[in-house]
Amino acid sequence: MSALSTSARTAPELDLPLTLRVLTINAHKGFGFLNRGFVLHELREAVRASGADLVFLQEVLGAHASHARRYADWPSQPQYEFLADSMWPQFAYGRNAVYPQGDHGNALLSKYPIARHDNIDVSVGRHERRGLLHCALTLPGIDLGLHAICVHLGLREHQRRAQIGRLIDYVATRVPLEEPLIVAGDFNDWRGRIGEELAQIGLREVFAVRRKAPARTFPARFPLLPLDRIYVRGLQIEDAAVLDSRPWSHLSDHAPLLSQVRL
């Protein structure tokens, strides 16, 4: 596993601080709520309309042979490339699960250059393959790195405890304190037990700051459980919204989160 590094020098004075719109969504492999239809084309239009600068994707397919044969409108390129097409010039993919028909994992779509990326295997046991996709970005006119980590944690409590430990250790050793950090994705933390641990390394959850509690995102039509999160360090939180109305409510089993942050 290679270390990521970017410049650690202080950002120069700016007339207007840089604002970033951050979107995270569990893409559900391109299928809608309760697997009712292949909706990747609609999802691409909705993601584009969000105006996001950074898009954190979980459960995005790199390939799936049987789906490609079954659906006439299945894209010829990987799903993350299809979603990024003509909107986000930079993307990175971290393959987590591999099976006879294909593979899936986490991805980041970015308006800004991705200098380096690394996929860290945090799987616990054989049956749920999970990873942390870490991207080091460069921002225009700013001599300062931005780090983005896309997360998809396990369904079981003991898995999440081990995976959060790995995430904390990784951030502590691989992400300089002076460089801003965004950690977003599907944490599966419906019991709300990880916030205090992540606060120890300076991460703040955008909804906990703006609205006193993480947002409910699952199931998408009637959100009850707070599974998805956006955590930041070294960034000002300006706004946060749950995208739980149409078209989003039928494009996945998770409602996306959108946050605006500022350097």
Side-chain angles (χ1 to χ4, degrees), residues 93-114:
Y93 174 59
R95 185 172 59 185
N96 295 334
V98 181
Y99 30 85
Q101 293 296 331
D103 58 89
H104 73 262
N106 299 327
L108 182 80
L109 316 182
S110 176
K111 177 180 177 181
Y112 303 107
I114 299 173

Side-chain angles (χ1 to χ4, degrees), residues 9-178:
R9 287 175 284 178
T10 305
E13 290 293 327
L14 300 174
D15 293 333
L16 291 174
L18 182 65
T19 296
L20 298 167
R21 288 172 65 83
V22 179
L23 177 73
T24 182
I25 180 171
N26 184 316
H28 203 214
K29 302 176 184 176
F31 292 88
F33 186 75
L34 297 178
N35 289 317
R36 291 176 180 170
F38 179 58
V39 296
L40 192 69
H41 294 260
E42 294 175 76
L43 179 62
R44 182 170 70 173
E45 295 309 309
V47 171
R48 287 178 173 183
S50 73
D53 301 303
L54 298 175
V55 181
F56 293 70
L57 298 165
Q58 307 87 52
E59 284 194 25
V60 62
L61 283 169
H64 199 288
S66 63
H67 289 340
R69 291 191 297 268
R70 180 178 179 183
Y71 297 96
D73 57 349
W74 193 266
S76 58
Q77 67 266 60
Q79 288 186 347
Y80 53 90
E81 289 191 27
F82 177 80
L83 293 169
D85 184 44
S86 78
M87 285 294 294
W88 292 275
Q90 299 282 315
F91 53 81
Y93 174 59
R95 185 172 59 185
N96 295 334
V98 181
Y99 30 85
Q101 293 296 331
D103 58 89
H104 73 262
N106 299 327
L108 182 80
L109 316 182
S110 176
K111 177 180 177 181
Y112 303 107
I114 299 173
R116 294 191 177 108
H117 64 89
D118 196 9
N119 194 47
I120 302 93
D121 185 1
V122 294
S123 304
V124 178
R126 298 180 179 180
H127 302 296
E128 288 186 28
R129 309 307 300 174
R130 305 293 186 179
L132 310 174
L133 176 63
H134 176 198
C135 298
L137 311 177
T138 56
L139 302 176
I142 300 176
D143 195 12
L144 188 71
L146 170 68
H147 295 263
I149 301 179
C150 187
V151 172
H152 192 187
L153 301 187
L155 294 172
R156 296 172 176 82
E157 184 75 23
H158 78 280
Q159 294 174 323
R160 293 193 297 277
R161 285 199 303 268
Q163 290 158 354
I164 284 295
R166 290 285 307 278
L167 172 62
I168 289 171
D169 290 345
Y170 185 86
V171 169
T173 57
R174 301 300 181 93
V175 181
L177 276 171
E178 63 270 28

